[in-house]
Amino acid sequence: MLNEKMAALGNNRSTIRELFEYGNKRAAVVGRENVLDFSLGNPNVPAPDAVREAILAEAAGDPVALHGYTSAQGAADVRKALVADINRRFGTDYTGDSLYLTAGAAAALSCAFKAIACPGDEFVVLAPYFPEYLMFIESGAGAKAVVVPPSIADFQINFDALEKVLNEHTKAVVINSPNNPSGAVYSEQTIRQLAELLREKEAQFGHPIYLVSDEPYREIVYDGVQTPFVPTYYDDTIVCYSYSKSLSLPGERIGYVLVPPQAADSADLYAAVCGAGRALGYVCAPSMFQRVAARCTGLTSDITVYQTNRDLLFDGLTSMGYTCVKPQGAFYMFPQTLEPDDHAFCERAKKYDLLVVPGADFGAPGHMRISYCVQTETIRRALPLFEKLAKEYHKC
Ligand code: PLP
């Protein structure tokens, strides 16, 4: 007898993965260059040279230490180096004991959720959201995910709707800024308002409400926009971070959970994150890439390519009549579809070999996600096709 829920999860690929596989099949028929695949958030900009140099330097060292286990929470010297960088950038005074290194943000989120989830707890997720949150919360941590509808006009937080769902069962609110899929970056005003609301609700319900801040795109921002560092505004924050996007290392699986000492019950909370890592089999993040991350603090891939892509795509689509909030970060755009049924729209786009993901998958129907971490040439080739698609609707 199997766990049928898990078998169902394994058998039902996400729409994004389905599209990606479909794109591979189409590429075999029409040629890779003719499939304009905007489905996956796989960085197309290479990791900085410093990553390669760090790998070579590590590979030249002691091979036993290189490939050996580290402490369950990550090597002490690595945690110290990563925390020093956080302290330098955000004016904090954390120690390495605040960090738990993980296999990317997915493991960081899974550990954070499991660390705090008790039977009957609710985790609030703000649409549009990264779809895997629902999986991690419900199937991973055994809690209930409660979705708050989006603020369509700007993709900041829909505070009226959020306030309505907060109750005595709320254990955490999950935020993601810069956001996948909208590209919105929560302003300082938004974070302040959120912190105020949560403090008020903590006082009302008499227990901590954690703010899980998922930040794999923290450094990918444009036009001088800053990503507010959430623990500065709200003590009961747990930060989940990853080098997948900032250093273009998604396949290497390296990231961390940060439990600031100001968070409620922080020592127990950190212990619970370690315990969750143990229960989920996530002890000892990939050891070579722990060290590579420590050697590359403060660096990012060349994000100017994403900005070029954003500008080209945004200007092109809006001039054709698509409605879109201008992304300020990450490498996703989330325009409205030209018919309310986003699945139907995305199917129609497929006729042009344009692969975009329906917004319903992110809790925001009537939109499409376009991942623009692609060659700029792909966007140039896609724009006339987006225009043809728009004309089909204008004819109706
Ligand atoms: N959170 C968000 C918002 C993401 O977009 C992703 C990946 O695309 C993840 C978490 C998972 O990141 P990782 O590859 O580091 O596990």
Side-chain angles (χ1 to χ4, degrees):
M1 180 83 165
L2 298 177
N3 181 330
E4 283 177 14
K5 245 170 122 181
M6 292 302 124
L9 282 182
N11 282 327
N12 294 330
R13 268 201 300 242
S14 71
T15 313
I16 299 174
R17 287 276 155 195
E18 288 286 358
L19 265 177
F20 179 67
E21 298 303 336
Y22 171 84
N24 286 339
K25 280 199 197 121
R26 280 298 290 166
V29 179
V30 298
R32 174 66 61 194
E33 69 287 1
N34 294 318
V35 180
L36 303 159
D37 185 352
F38 297 99
S39 62
L40 270 193
N42 206 6
N44 69 307
V45 173
D49 289 346
V51 165
R52 188 179 162 75
E53 286 153 20
I55 293 169
L56 293 175
E58 287 297 333
D62 172 3
V64 175
L66 176 65
H67 299 298
Y69 288 121
T70 65
S71 301
Q73 66 271 42
D77 58 335
V78 169
R79 286 183 286 121
K80 200 169 156 193
L82 299 186
V83 148
D85 180 54
I86 294 170
N87 289 341
R88 180 183 58 74
R89 289 168 62 197
F90 304 118
T92 47
D93 57 358
Y94 305 149
T95 70
D97 294 338
S98 296
L99 278 195
Y100 183 86
L101 301 195
T102 58
L109 290 160
S110 298
C111 291
F113 295 160
K114 192 160 182 77
I116 56 178
C118 299
D121 279 350
E122 295 183 3
F123 283 55
V124 176
V125 172
L126 311 179
Y129 52 75
F130 178 55
E132 297 301 287
Y133 292 157
L134 306 187
M135 206 79 62
F136 300 156
I137 292 168
E138 298 196 324
S139 302
K144 181 177 171 200
V146 177
V147 173
V148 171
S151 165
I152 301 283
D154 55 7
F155 292 125
Q156 297 286 312
I157 294 176
N158 180 343
F159 279 104
D160 290 340
L162 171 60
E163 188 162 3
K164 286 199 188 101
V165 303
L166 296 173
N167 64 53
E168 65 274 23
H169 302 294
T170 307
K171 178 55 73 69
V173 174
V174 184
I175 60 170
N176 166 226
S177 165
N179 183 264
N180 173 8
S182 71
V185 179
Y186 288 165
S187 66
E188 189 179 9
Q189 163 59 25
T190 295
I191 298 292
R192 278 191 196 284
Q193 194 177 340
L194 177 62
E196 228 165 82
L197 174 65
L198 293 184
R199 276 193 290 269
E200 192 187 298
K201 294 295 169 185
E202 284 189 327
Q204 182 182 342
F205 302 128
H207 62 76
I209 299 178
Y210 291 103
L211 184 53
V212 179
S213 181
D214 179 27
E215 309 182 354
Y217 304 94
R218 188 198 285 148
E219 292 81 12
I220 304 179
V221 283
Y222 312 118
D223 307 326
V225 165
Q226 298 281 330
T227 309
F229 186 62
V230 181
T232 311
Y233 301 88
Y234 187 67
D235 285 346
D236 295 339
T237 298
I238 304 171
V239 176
C240 295
Y241 183 77
S242 157
Y243 295 91
S244 296
K245 317 289 174 165
S246 59
L247 284 179
S248 301
L249 294 175
E252 304 299 353
R253 317 305 299 134
I254 189 75
Y256 60 73
V257 183
L258 166 69
V259 179
Q262 290 79 10
D265 309 316
S266 73
D268 286 344
L269 176 57
Y270 184 78
V273 169
C274 297
R278 199 176 155 196
L280 294 169
Y282 280 138
V283 292
C284 180
S287 59
M288 179 155 75
F289 276 86
Q290 290 187 31
R291 297 196 181 88
V292 169
R295 284 180 184 261
C296 295
T297 55
L299 299 177
T300 65
S301 304
D302 177 11
I303 64 165
T304 59
V305 178
Y306 301 137
Q307 173 141 15
T308 302
N309 289 358
R310 179 204 64 164
D311 291 344
L312 188 63
L313 189 59
F314 182 78
D315 294 346
L317 290 181
T318 50
S319 73
M320 293 168 202
Y322 288 90
T323 303
C324 184
V325 177
K326 191 171 192 175
Q328 295 179 304
F331 37 57
Y332 307 100
M333 202 169 286
F334 204 53
Q336 290 180 17
T337 47
L338 299 177
E339 61 178 302
D341 183 342
D342 49 327
H343 275 273
F345 177 88
C346 294
E347 277 303 310
R348 217 160 171 174
K350 269 169 139 180
K351 277 197 311 191
Y352 296 96
D353 285 315
L354 278 176
L355 307 188
V356 292
V357 186
D361 285 40
F362 306 90
H367 293 80
M368 59 174 143
R369 188 189 76 169
I370 307 177
S371 293
Y372 58 81
C373 45
V374 295
Q375 301 296 321
T376 305
E377 185 53 27
T378 303
I379 295 174
R380 287 206 183 91
R381 293 168 67 100
L383 283 173
L385 301 174
F386 276 114
E387 187 157 30
K388 277 191 186 163
L389 185 57
K391 280 188 181 146
E392 280 191 29
Y393 284 93
H394 294 147
K395 264 191 255 148
C396 301

